[in-house]
Amino acid sequence: MTTPLAPAQPVEVDAAIVGGGIAGIWLLNLLQAKGYRAVLFEGRTLGGSQTLASQGMIHGGLKYALGGKLTGASEAIGRMPAQWRECLAGTGSVNLAGLQPLSEDYFMFAADSTLGRLTGFFASKTLRGRIEKVDRADYPAALKPLDGVVYRLNDFVLDTTALLGRLLAPVKHLTYQHEVKPEHLRPDGSGWGIVTPAGMVRARRLILCAGTGSGPLLGALDTEPPRLQTRPLHQVLVRHRALQPLYAHCLTGIRRPEPRLTITSHREPHGDAWLWYLGGSLATEGVSLGENALIDHARAELRTCVPWLDWSKATFDTLRIDRAEPYQTQGTRPDEAFAWSSGASIVCWPTKLSLAPDLGERVLSLLDPPAAPALPPTELHLPAARLGQPPWCPSG
């Protein structure tokens, strides 16, 4: 098999995106829809570092207000569920028509008498339309045995594999398997040259959105770039033959303004059984714990939050994740999506899956209009980027 010859002239594009998680693939869709010529480079697998390991929640930030008052973080993200629903309806900034949510509902639950002043906060006028108390007859099946309260949020859950597949469909021909390294970048005054095995790609703008993978590339920029921080998680996968699907935050006896457990549910790759994917305080506290200690802790937390199941019969796995974000004093969580521009460079981090539409707006505001005519770029002789696997799949 012969290798195709690289083009004699550089391939000209308006934007070269580095990183194929939710940020990069969302931006590629958005730029294509706006008439920009863009390509995306991914060094590993699409979504394989953070996106496919996320819990898929599209939320309005109420879980950031568990101190009993609305916060900057809870308000910054508050409009995101509505924007995502517009996209699902085919009327938003990115067309996700045909993608069905994994769950249309997300819940909060707690044993009786453990919410304290949060009970009044949830019933306040300030949260009208964002949370409602659920009648016992309407509890989700997995919570029917609960002796407590259940609230429904205006949040929903997406299957991240299906989401990336839907985003990839119209732009697959523009995504390439190629690890961009600092030595591949060539500033040329009015843009960037990117060296690839298929020849030079010349981009009017270089957009770095590779999560932690952007770190090594920041030093190659021609101005002082933003700093990267990582906030680790240690999440838990639990399997039990009696599990039913559940998408909920457990607030039973919470010790800090964060859900005790954040639960999403997924089908086992083979068969009809369900597994639960656990985050929340469990995952943040678990960063300092080894795998066995975290499993013991998870088993104890489940006995407190879901005491009607026999958790001695469950099996557990753990997963460490590093979330990539712009640097914050004392390592705190950023409230908003982040996009920084200098010269021909843009550096961005969505900070949360939910904030992808917000990130798109921010990046668009930093771009000049697309060059005319708005034609697709010349095809590069590089392999297509491959979609990754979520952590509950055998090869994930």
Side-chain angles (χ1 to χ4, degrees):
M1 178 177 177
T2 60
T3 301
L5 295 175
Q9 297 296 322
V11 172
E12 302 280 343
V13 296
D14 292 308
I17 299 168
V18 179
I22 184 62
I25 303 180
W26 187 278
L27 289 174
L28 186 58
N29 275 263
L30 186 61
L31 296 186
Q32 184 190 52
K34 297 292 184 180
Y36 290 89
R37 301 174 69 184
V39 293
L40 181 148
F41 298 110
E42 168 56 50
R44 297 181 182 177
T45 58
L46 298 168
S49 296
Q50 291 187 77
T51 303
L52 291 171
S54 77
Q55 292 190 280
M57 289 178 293
I58 306 301
H59 68 90
L62 193 53
K63 71 172 186 172
Y64 298 146
L66 297 181
K69 62 180 180 180
L70 297 176
T71 65
S74 64
E75 294 308 278
I77 203 171
R79 62 192 177 95
M80 289 299 103
Q83 289 199 10
W84 276 89
R85 289 193 186 278
E86 289 176 358
C87 293
L88 293 174
T91 59
S93 57
V94 167
N95 185 2
L96 297 177
L99 178 65
Q100 297 299 315
L102 190 61
S103 175
E104 289 281 4
D105 296 308
Y106 211 87
F107 298 94
M108 284 183 173
F109 71 96
D112 272 337
S113 305
T114 65
L115 289 181
R117 63 192 180 100
L118 283 176
T119 300
F121 176 57
F122 291 161
S124 65
K125 292 182 180 179
T126 58
L127 295 186
R128 189 169 295 165
R130 297 175 70 171
I131 185 171
E132 63 175 359
K133 192 172 182 179
V134 179
D135 292 336
R136 174 168 288 279
D138 297 325
Y139 283 10
L143 295 179
K144 291 291 186 183
L146 174 70
D147 184 13
V149 292
V150 177
Y151 295 87
R152 179 182 286 107
L153 308 177
N154 67 337
D155 304 344
F156 58 99
V157 186
L158 294 176
D159 180 323
T160 52
T161 303
L163 168 62
L164 290 184
R166 177 64 184 85
L167 286 169
L168 186 59
V171 296
K172 187 175 180 63
H173 61 294
L174 304 173
T175 65
Y176 297 101
Q177 187 81 31
H178 173 58
E179 182 180 0
V180 177
K181 298 180 179 180
E183 59 267 27
H184 297 157
L185 298 178
R186 303 280 192 273
D188 64 5
S190 59
W192 283 91
I194 300 130
V195 178
T196 81
M200 181 72 74
V201 175
R202 187 180 182 282
R204 295 170 64 205
R205 284 295 186 100
L206 173 69
I207 304 177
L208 300 184
C209 52
T212 56
S214 292
L217 300 175
L218 296 177
L221 302 185
D222 49 1
T223 55
E224 185 67 26
R227 293 169 60 189
L228 164 70
Q229 74 176 25
T230 59
R231 284 192 307 115
L233 291 173
H234 197 179
Q235 305 217 166
V236 174
L237 288 160
V238 57
R239 294 169 171 86
H240 189 300
R241 59 185 176 81
L243 289 184
Q244 295 176 286
L246 180 62
Y247 306 88
H249 303 295
C250 176
L251 306 187
T252 296
I254 57 171
R255 301 176 290 272
R256 51 196 281 185
E258 182 180 19
R260 190 162 184 166
L261 292 178
T262 292
I263 303 165
T264 54
S265 305
H266 307 273
R267 288 283 191 185
E268 289 279 20
H270 305 291
D272 295 328
W274 289 91
L275 61 84
W276 284 2
Y277 191 31
L278 307 180
S281 286
L282 175 73
T284 53
E285 294 168 357
V287 170
S288 62
L289 301 177
E291 180 178 1
N292 291 336
L294 178 57
I295 288 172
D296 289 342
H297 181 43
R299 201 185 302 271
E301 290 295 273
L302 286 164
R303 284 175 181 145
T304 297
C305 293
V306 190
W308 52 89
L309 292 180
D310 180 1
W311 293 104
S312 67
K313 298 180 179 180
T315 61
F316 294 81
D317 293 292
T318 73
L319 173 70
R320 291 189 182 272
I321 305 167
D322 280 330
R323 293 166 292 181
E325 302 165 343
Y327 173 80
Q328 306 288 295
T329 304
Q330 299 180 338
T332 56
R333 179 188 61 240
D335 289 345
E336 302 174 319
F338 175 85
W340 167 95
S341 176
S342 179
S345 307
I346 294 175
V347 178
C348 53
W349 291 284
T351 74
K352 299 291 292 182
L353 177 74
S354 296
L355 286 167
D358 180 48
L359 180 70
E361 293 175 2
R362 292 170 186 268
V363 171
L364 276 182
S365 72
L366 301 174
L367 294 174
D368 296 326
L375 299 173
T378 302
E379 182 180 355
L380 298 173
H381 296 296
L382 291 171
R386 296 175 292 106
L387 187 60
Q389 295 269 22
W392 46 89
C393 287
S395 59

